[in-house]
Amino acid sequence: MNIYDIANKAGVSIATVSRILNNKGNVRKATEQKVLAVMEELGYTPNVFARALGLNSIKAVGVLCSDVSDIFYAKAVSVIESELREQGYDATLYCTGHNIEDKKWALSSLLAKKVDAIILVGSVFQDRKDNSHIKEAAKNVPVVIINGEFEFDNTYSIYCAEAKAVEDVVDLLVERGRKSFLYMYDIDSFSGDKKRNGFLAGLKKNGVKFNKKRILKCERNFESYKTAVFKALDSGIKFDAIVCSEDMLAVGAIKALAERKLSVPDEVAVVGCNNSILAESATPTITSIDNKVEALCVDTVRTLLDVFDGKDVSHIKKIYANIVGRESFII
């Protein structure tokens, strides 16, 4: 039995149970008595639920990241750890890689360590087929995913509206006279799908003709990014703009164009995503979508603290991105 069983049997929300156990008030006396009666009937006392609700906790939060060498994930983990430490919590980090079984093992290991909550960094933890392990984990502790979207009890999703930002990038490119596009990406994920769909929506809205040959799926390394652009050029595909799912791909695209003596942005505009240090340090500097990694992570920790306090918390929160103009595409 767990907190869900108590809430379901009493016909109240988890937040209501939490408020009763935390003595937060704002609960009708009759409701409080009903919840306490259910606990007594099931043989539980408030202390049994204390850890799951953040009471008498070990003050540790589990953090799952697929690859901390990734510049976006590294920044996210850094911000999360700093924010948790400021609030008196330790972060227990597992780097899982991309294999689903390794992700499940890491999740189970964190639960065995009795962490107070779990943060999933990135939509790579939202599996296309089966997320039952996330649903089961959330029966024990709150789970927050950054840039993904779950609808299970005790899960919270905080993501950036990257699709709209990519669509806006296409609008700007068309407005500046760009007519032929490539799209580059290297990972299939919930977030990646959203960005790609935003790109396609922007093309459709602006009446730009497009075919699948112009969507370039790459391996996750610079040589693959360059090779993809070389192949597009060698096949005779004409383009004057490249939109990339991440800044790393944009750097690879710019290097490939430079090797072929094509000027950026005069002949080909290039736009990245993440607004990372790569975008600032590349030559030319890269126009990039700022997907608000710091704000996402700060809100993630604040959400957990509110859940621990028994507050009513929105299960889905969306943050809007903006486009940072630099040399690779003057906006």
Side-chain angles (χ1 to χ4, degrees):
M1 300 291 287
N2 53 51
I3 187 172
Y4 298 99
D5 300 310
I6 299 298
N8 288 336
K9 190 170 182 61
V12 300
S13 68
I14 295 171
T16 296
V17 177
S18 176
R19 280 195 290 271
I20 292 169
L21 295 175
N22 279 290
N23 295 315
K24 293 292 184 178
N26 299 320
V27 178
R28 291 193 312 163
K29 190 66 177 177
T31 301
E32 180 179 1
Q33 290 176 343
K34 181 166 63 173
V35 170
L36 294 175
V38 169
M39 290 180 182
E40 184 176 358
E41 176 188 342
L42 296 176
Y44 286 99
T45 64
N47 285 338
V48 174
F49 296 98
R51 203 201 55 73
L53 294 168
L55 306 169
N56 303 320
S57 73
I58 67 168
K59 304 289 280 187
V61 173
V63 180
L64 292 186
C65 172
S66 61
D67 180 7
V68 79
S69 69
D70 179 284
I71 196 165
F72 176 87
Y73 297 147
K75 176 67 172 178
V77 169
S78 174
V79 174
I80 289 168
E81 192 277 334
S82 177
E83 289 294 312
L84 286 171
R85 179 162 26 89
E86 188 173 314
Q87 299 298 328
Y89 285 82
D90 290 327
T92 302
L93 174 66
Y94 276 41
C95 294
T96 67
H98 294 282
N99 182 278
I100 184 63
E101 293 306 319
D102 291 335
K103 293 174 185 176
K104 289 180 178 179
W105 175 86
L107 186 61
S108 296
S109 295
L110 285 175
L111 292 174
K113 292 179 183 295
K114 305 299 184 183
V115 295
D116 298 301
I118 290 173
I119 296 173
L120 307 175
V121 182
S123 65
V124 292
F125 289 98
Q126 184 168 353
D127 191 71
R128 292 177 182 274
K129 296 179 180 179
D130 181 17
N131 290 291
S132 58
H133 56 295
I134 304 295
K135 184 177 182 179
E136 287 302 309
K139 291 180 179 179
N140 297 283
V141 296
V143 176
V144 184
I145 185 168
I146 297 173
N147 264 354
E149 189 173 340
F150 290 127
E151 297 182 358
F152 308 133
D153 287 338
N154 212 25
T155 63
Y156 304 87
S157 306
I158 301 176
Y159 67 91
C160 182
E162 294 170 315
K164 179 62 169 62
V166 176
E167 186 176 332
D168 291 344
V169 162
V170 175
D171 288 343
L172 285 170
L173 286 163
V174 172
E175 185 180 298
R176 302 293 192 275
R178 307 292 169 158
K179 299 178 180 179
S180 303
F181 295 75
L182 292 182
Y183 184 80
M184 296 177 63
Y185 75 104
D186 59 2
I187 290 182
D188 289 306
S189 65
F190 175 85
S191 174
D193 291 347
K194 292 286 187 183
K195 284 184 274 192
R196 190 163 60 252
N197 290 340
F199 174 73
L200 295 173
L203 295 182
K204 184 177 181 179
K205 181 171 69 175
N206 287 282
V208 177
K209 292 183 179 180
F210 194 78
N211 60 57
K212 291 182 179 180
K213 292 182 179 179
R214 292 176 175 270
I215 296 181
L216 310 181
K217 171 70 181 293
C218 310
E219 297 295 324
R220 200 168 177 78
N221 61 73
F222 282 112
E223 285 305 313
S224 175
Y225 306 154
K226 290 168 59 178
T227 298
V229 176
F230 291 150
K231 286 182 177 180
L233 290 167
D234 294 340
S235 70
I237 295 176
K238 302 296 182 184
F239 55 90
D240 55 16
I242 303 176
V243 179
C244 302
S245 66
E246 296 184 46
D247 290 335
M248 289 192 303
L249 284 94
V251 173
I254 286 173
K255 286 183 175 291
L257 294 169
E259 289 187 28
R260 292 296 179 90
K261 310 300 182 184
L262 292 169
S263 174
V264 176
D266 295 338
E267 293 176 275
V268 182
V270 178
V271 179
C273 183
N274 288 350
N275 194 36
S276 67
I277 192 171
L278 293 176
E280 298 179 79
S281 57
T283 304
T285 56
I286 298 170
T287 294
S288 183
I289 294 169
D290 183 359
N291 49 11
K292 308 290 186 180
V293 58
E294 187 163 348
L296 287 170
C297 295
V298 169
D299 273 1
T300 293
V301 174
R302 288 176 179 170
T303 293
L304 279 181
L305 294 174
D306 286 345
V307 172
F308 292 158
D309 285 342
K311 296 178 181 177
D312 287 321
V313 178
S314 174
H315 286 265
I316 297 177
K317 182 173 183 180
K318 180 165 59 175
I319 293 176
Y320 287 92
N322 64 283
I323 303 163
V324 179
R326 296 191 179 91
E327 296 168 342
S328 71
F329 171 52
I330 309 300
I331 64 173

